[in-house]
Amino acid sequence: MDIIQTLTIRHLKHYKKRTLAAAAGIWTATVLLTMLSVFMASFVQRLQAADVAREDVKPLLSAASGMMAVVLAVLVIFLYNMLIMSSRDRGRYLGILASVGATPYQRRKIALLETVILGGVGIPAGIGTGVLLSVLIFPFRTVVSWRVLLLIFLCECTAVLLTGIVSTGSTGKGPVISLIRNVTDKRSFKKPVMLPGWIERHSKAEGKLALKNILFFKRRYLITGISFIISMLLFLDGYIYMNYLDGRYEARDRRPKDNADLVLEEEYNKRNDAWEDFIAEVVTLPGIEEYSIQERADMGTVLFEAKDINPKLKKYESYILGTSYKNPITIGSVKGDEKCGYAMNLVLIGLEDDGFRNYLDKAGISGSWDEEGGAIPVLIEDYPVAKTGRTTKYRSVLSEHVAGPLSVCSDAGQWLYPVADSQGEQVDAFEEWEFQVLGVTTKTAPCYIVSALEEPNTIYFYTTRQALERLVNNKNFPKEPSGTYRRLALKVRSKVPEIPDNVLFPAVVQYGNTTTRSLKLAASSFSFLSDAAMQNTLQTRNEEIGRLQKEIGKIGVKYGLSDGSEMDIDNFDWSAVDYTYSSYPSHILGALTEPFPLLRHLFTYGVLIFMTVISTFQMIKTITSSVQTRRREFAVLLSVGMNRRQIAKMLFMENLICTTCAYASGLAASVLLALVLFLSWGKEQAVEPIFPYQIVLMETIVFLVLILISVYLSVRNVKRIQLIDIIKEETV
């Protein structure tokens, strides 16, 4: 061992508190980063074990990799800052060595060797401890990715080596006498630092010194502030993004609904002759309390005339899956003529005469209709999504005076699709359709069918089945490849209470690279759905519906109709299926037990919590390190008459100003990014922005806790300063 190594080890032993503090900082940062990597690798395996599709995992892995890179970058900056602060204490020691003949090369070697020793001890110990703590703490089987751990080791070693190289260039420069005097805290400002009058009156000399110290140590406080801002930015906007992926910001239809418990839908284009006899016998089953026989035809996009639109909505934005468009819209035909109107999706639903009359009574509309007339009698359910200004919500778009004759325009023989700009695509030929409006309502039909497939720009025209058949048989009726289909909505007689409505809502969700519509649970539903009594209600109703399905299946076999329940899953043939089921309780249970959103939230929140802990640790460590490196400054202040309480107040104000600025900047940046995200999503989806005040409150609490910690650490460290110890250190 040469003299340089001996001196380096002796210096580290002599200043053991500083050595232990630097090594502990490296160790703690490595432990947190290692636990974060193990957590991420373990959850990825959990996602794969839950049979989550590979394309669904890829975006999550990309986001996690980005977060990991940010965490690693923040920790590298932290290690650099901490080691540089530690190396500045060596200036006087290196000056003494220079006075007894140490060459610049030898002094640089000492600085580099100290840094390497600290990193060589802290990094491997931190990785080992992080893996051990992950195995002991995480409540699931941990997976250690040795490639990731090797990457962490190499990155931190690189950061330590770069810090050592930088410190060799900055430490030991200048005249020997300056190094020995250790004039490292000389302040010089080009112009006086002035505080606002109200601050100066309350803070006095301590506030002025605190502001000057912040300006002097601006790099140190800037690094701390940036890490705090990044943590707030990722935590708040990460929470918003996760809720967006789950469809939490989708505009919701909050109308009271009389939900059907079970729905039978005939497969598209089947048109079995036995269907009418089949449902006629099904509705006589003793377990059925109420039913609605329906036939549905999707007309696609139609143009409403301006006179039929609410005068307050002369301009608004509508949505279909994956895009939006502005109303009114102008569409041209290949013949050169144009039509200007309000494009909305139109769905026609034919009811039995009794069912149609019941819906009219529920809507409070009286009167009769002529089945043999030319115009189709309709009751309009008018409650699509419309965006006006920055408000996106379900609302009525038709004028309250709409009644009697109503004309809409479509593309003859095919569907018409709106586009996002003011000029729509051309159509072959326009077709006018005449309806006789009996009334307009926002109330839902009896036996309401919950579906994820309904577009948010849809208006429903209810009529009789006979009138619908007459309309659909028109050769110019827009035909979809699937055509029309029939269905039966049932309310089941049960011994348990009814399930509340508005538990589920249709939302646009992301599954990997796929955008689709799915039924999601309302955030407010989780609490009461987790209740034991409600869980029992769901299970009981699901069992009752299951028994009813078996009875219906037997009737279907009697009429030669199959629901596919008797088929082997390995040889399943959809072409042989005549009808399918969907039930309200099973939709809720499916949404409750869907694994991917839950795992995705746990994974992301775990990463964000780790990042918060890392940033909090970094801020606390910076505060304590800065106090230790400024002991000489505090001794000078004590010697000129300041008491320890004033010094503690000065430190408190420094930390308060730094953390407050970081908090305000982080909050402003988070809110601005959230606004940008909502505006971006609003171009494609009917999002209803909801600001997460609870996350801001939590970040505010963390901010206040950091302030209290900084006060405690500042006071504790100042109390430990002894003038006699500083005088001994200054003795050459």
Side-chain angles (χ1 to χ4, degrees):
M1 183 180 294
D2 61 13
I3 186 64
I4 299 299
Q5 295 174 352
T6 303
L7 288 173
T8 302
I9 295 175
R10 182 182 299 172
H11 184 256
L12 290 173
K13 289 181 178 179
H14 181 71
Y15 295 98
K16 56 185 177 183
K17 286 187 177 180
R18 190 194 69 190
T19 302
L20 289 175
I26 297 173
W27 175 82
T28 308
T30 308
V31 167
L32 292 172
L33 192 57
T34 302
M35 293 180 69
L36 176 59
S37 68
V38 173
F39 180 85
M40 291 170 61
S42 302
F43 248 102
V44 168
Q45 188 188 54
R46 295 271 293 180
L47 289 173
Q48 294 173 345
D51 294 329
V52 179
R54 185 179 298 273
E55 59 271 15
D56 295 337
V57 179
K58 282 183 178 180
L60 191 58
L61 290 179
S62 300
S65 301
M67 291 182 181
M68 189 79 171
V70 171
V71 173
L72 188 58
V74 170
L75 284 178
V76 167
I77 295 173
F78 164 65
L79 291 176
Y80 170 80
N81 183 48
M82 186 182 61
L83 291 173
I84 285 295
M85 286 193 298
S86 177
S87 68
R88 286 174 180 171
D89 278 347
R90 296 193 297 262
R92 185 167 172 272
Y93 171 69
L94 295 177
I96 295 174
L97 292 180
S99 68
V100 296
T103 64
Y105 170 75
Q106 290 174 321
R107 299 200 302 270
R108 293 190 183 98
K109 187 176 179 181
I110 289 175
L112 179 61
L113 191 57
E114 282 190 15
T115 306
V116 171
I117 291 173
L118 291 173
V121 172
I123 295 175
I127 291 177
T129 307
V131 172
L132 180 61
L133 290 176
S134 299
V135 173
L136 295 176
I137 294 176
F138 294 155
F140 46 80
R141 192 174 72 84
T142 55
V143 177
V144 179
S145 175
W146 297 108
R147 289 186 297 178
V148 175
L149 294 182
L150 179 61
L151 178 63
I152 293 173
F153 177 77
L154 293 177
C155 289
E156 293 204 21
C157 286
T158 302
V160 170
L161 287 175
L162 289 176
T163 303
I165 293 171
V166 171
S167 64
T168 59
S170 60
T171 305
K173 283 186 177 182
V176 174
I177 188 64
S178 298
L179 294 174
I180 294 175
R181 288 174 60 196
N182 193 24
V183 186
T184 59
D185 57 350
K186 180 180 178 182
R187 273 81 162 162
S188 61
F189 299 98
K190 295 181 180 180
K191 57 182 180 180
V193 178
M194 301 300 295
L195 288 174
W198 65 273
I199 295 180
E200 193 162 353
R201 284 193 300 272
H202 290 85
S203 60
K204 301 180 183 178
E206 297 91 338
K208 205 165 194 177
L209 281 173
L211 184 57
K212 287 184 176 181
N213 289 334
I214 289 175
L215 295 176
F216 181 74
F217 296 111
K218 55 182 177 292
R219 287 187 181 179
R220 182 183 305 168
Y221 285 116
L222 185 61
I223 291 174
T224 304
I226 289 175
S227 66
F228 194 72
I229 290 172
I230 291 175
S231 297
M232 289 188 64
L233 196 69
L234 292 176
F235 200 87
L236 177 62
D237 294 300
Y239 174 87
I240 290 175
Y241 185 66
M242 284 298 104
N243 280 280
Y244 161 72
L245 291 181
D246 283 344
R248 300 297 181 199
Y249 301 122
E250 193 86 5
R252 289 180 52 194
D253 180 1
R254 293 178 170 84
R255 293 175 296 170
K257 303 176 183 69
D258 183 21
N259 294 311
D261 296 311
L262 180 64
V263 179
L264 282 69
E265 290 189 353
E266 186 182 24
E267 285 298 301
Y268 296 132
N269 296 326
K270 284 288 185 175
R271 309 299 297 183
N272 288 285
D273 295 334
W275 176 261
E276 297 294 337
D277 296 331
F278 165 63
I279 61 173
E281 185 169 345
V282 168
V283 297
T284 62
L285 290 173
I288 295 175
E289 182 178 319
E290 186 180 349
Y291 65 89
S292 174
I293 301 173
Q294 304 178 5
E295 185 166 357
R296 171 176 171 140
D298 292 352
M299 199 167 180
T301 302
V302 300
L303 293 179
F304 286 84
E305 296 180 7
K307 65 181 181 63
D308 299 321
I309 302 298
N310 188 333
K312 297 180 180 179
L313 291 176
K314 286 304 181 183
K315 291 184 179 180
Y316 63 91
E317 200 165 344
S318 296
Y319 293 87
I320 54 177
L321 180 61
T323 187
S324 64
Y325 60 94
K326 294 181 179 180
N327 272 316
I329 188 172
T330 300
I331 298 178
S333 72
V334 293
K335 297 180 179 179
D337 53 338
E338 290 183 342
K339 292 283 186 180
C340 181
Y342 292 78
M344 303 297 291
N345 188 51
L346 180 58
V347 172
L348 296 155
I349 297 178
L351 304 176
E352 294 290 303
D353 288 352
D354 291 341
F356 188 49
R357 170 53 62 191
N358 289 338
Y359 191 15
L360 287 171
D361 293 340
K362 180 180 179 181
I365 297 171
S366 59
S368 59
W369 60 91
D370 182 11
E371 289 284 0
E372 303 299 328
I376 304 296
V378 294
L379 170 61
I380 301 178
E381 182 191 341
D382 171 31
Y383 210 66
V385 174
K387 179 180 180 181
T388 56
R390 294 184 179 180
T391 303
T392 304
K393 64 179 182 180
Y394 281 87
R395 60 179 301 169
S396 177
V397 299
L398 296 180
S399 172
E400 59 183 7
H401 302 297
V402 170
L406 173 70
S407 176
V408 299
C409 182
S410 75
D411 188 357
Q414 60 184 356
W415 275 33
L416 182 155
Y417 294 94
V419 292
D421 55 21
S422 59
Q423 295 295 322
E425 61 185 29
Q426 288 188 332
V427 300
D428 288 339
F430 290 111
E431 181 72 18
E432 297 283 344
W433 301 92
E434 296 294 334
F435 296 94
Q436 184 69 23
V437 179
L438 303 179
V440 179
T441 183
T442 58
K443 295 182 178 180
T444 59
C447 291
Y448 181 82
I449 298 175
V450 177
S451 174
L453 303 179
E454 305 298 341
E455 294 291 354
N457 68 334
T458 300
I459 291 180
Y460 298 90
F461 280 16
Y462 285 85
T463 185
T464 62
R465 294 184 65 187
Q466 294 81 359
L468 177 65
E469 184 176 359
R470 180 158 51 90
L471 179 68
V472 172
N473 288 335
N474 189 306
K475 65 177 182 178
N476 289 328
F477 186 83
K479 299 295 191 300
E480 187 189 12
S482 57
T484 62
Y485 60 94
R486 296 173 287 187
R487 58 188 182 181
L488 174 65
L490 305 171
K491 287 186 67 66
V492 179
R493 186 175 289 109
S494 176
K495 60 183 180 182
V496 295
E498 287 191 2
I499 302 172
D501 61 353
N502 289 327
V503 173
L504 297 171
F505 67 96
V508 177
V509 294
Q510 303 285 334
Y511 287 104
N513 297 322
T514 303
T515 302
T516 184
R517 294 188 68 84
S518 175
L519 287 174
K520 289 294 177 182
L521 283 172
S524 58
S525 303
F526 280 98
S527 56
F528 75 84
L529 287 177
S530 301
D531 181 70
M534 183 54 64
Q535 286 286 326
N536 179 64
T537 297
L538 283 171
Q539 293 293 344
T540 302
R541 279 192 168 269
N542 202 42
E543 292 170 2
E544 292 171 342
I545 290 172
R547 290 192 291 268
L548 181 61
Q549 286 181 203
K550 291 181 180 179
E551 295 296 324
I552 294 174
K554 294 177 182 178
I555 298 175
V557 172
K558 174 181 175 181
Y559 288 96
L561 302 177
S562 172
D563 59 4
S565 59
E566 303 298 326
M567 294 186 190
D568 184 6
I569 191 66
D570 295 326
N571 300 307
F572 197 86
D573 182 12
W574 273 110
S575 62
V577 176
D578 296 298
Y579 64 96
T580 57
Y581 303 102
S582 65
S583 76
Y584 186 50
S586 64
H587 284 317
I588 297 175
L589 291 172
L592 277 172
T593 57
E594 189 179 2
F596 183 65
L598 177 62
L599 290 175
R600 182 170 60 195
H601 275 268
L602 289 175
F603 175 82
T604 307
Y605 294 153
V607 172
L608 294 174
I609 289 171
F610 268 117
M611 293 184 65
T612 303
V613 171
I614 289 171
S615 298
T616 303
F617 161 75
Q618 176 178 345
M619 180 168 287
I620 294 172
K621 184 61 183 173
T622 302
I623 291 171
T624 56
S625 299
S626 64
V627 172
Q628 289 295 327
T629 56
R630 295 168 60 187
R631 295 174 71 248
R632 182 171 179 269
E633 173 196 344
F634 299 150
V636 172
L637 294 175
L638 287 171
S639 66
V640 297
M642 285 188 72
N643 56 45
R644 285 178 169 78
R645 183 176 180 181
Q646 289 175 309
I647 295 176
K649 184 178 179 182
M650 179 190 72
L651 285 174
F652 167 68
M653 294 195 68
E654 287 182 27
N655 296 323
L656 177 64
I657 294 172
C658 175
T659 50
T660 302
C661 291
Y663 172 78
S665 302
L667 183 60
S670 300
V671 172
L672 182 61
L673 180 57
L675 179 61
V676 171
L677 289 175
F678 279 125
L679 289 176
S680 175
W681 296 332
K683 295 178 181 178
E684 299 178 353
Q685 297 173 222
V687 295
E688 190 177 22
I690 303 174
F691 191 74
Y693 295 101
Q694 67 274 24
I695 299 297
V696 176
L697 178 61
M698 185 176 66
E699 291 181 335
T700 304
I701 293 173
V702 172
F703 161 71
L704 295 175
V705 170
L706 283 177
I707 293 295
L708 294 176
I709 291 174
S710 69
V711 172
Y712 169 74
L713 294 176
S714 301
V715 173
R716 191 189 67 170
N717 285 300
V718 170
K719 284 182 178 180
R720 292 181 177 181
I721 296 176
Q722 300 295 329
L723 281 175
I724 188 64
D725 295 334
I726 306 299
I727 292 172
K728 287 179 180 179
E729 292 177 5
E730 293 297 314
T731 303
V732 180

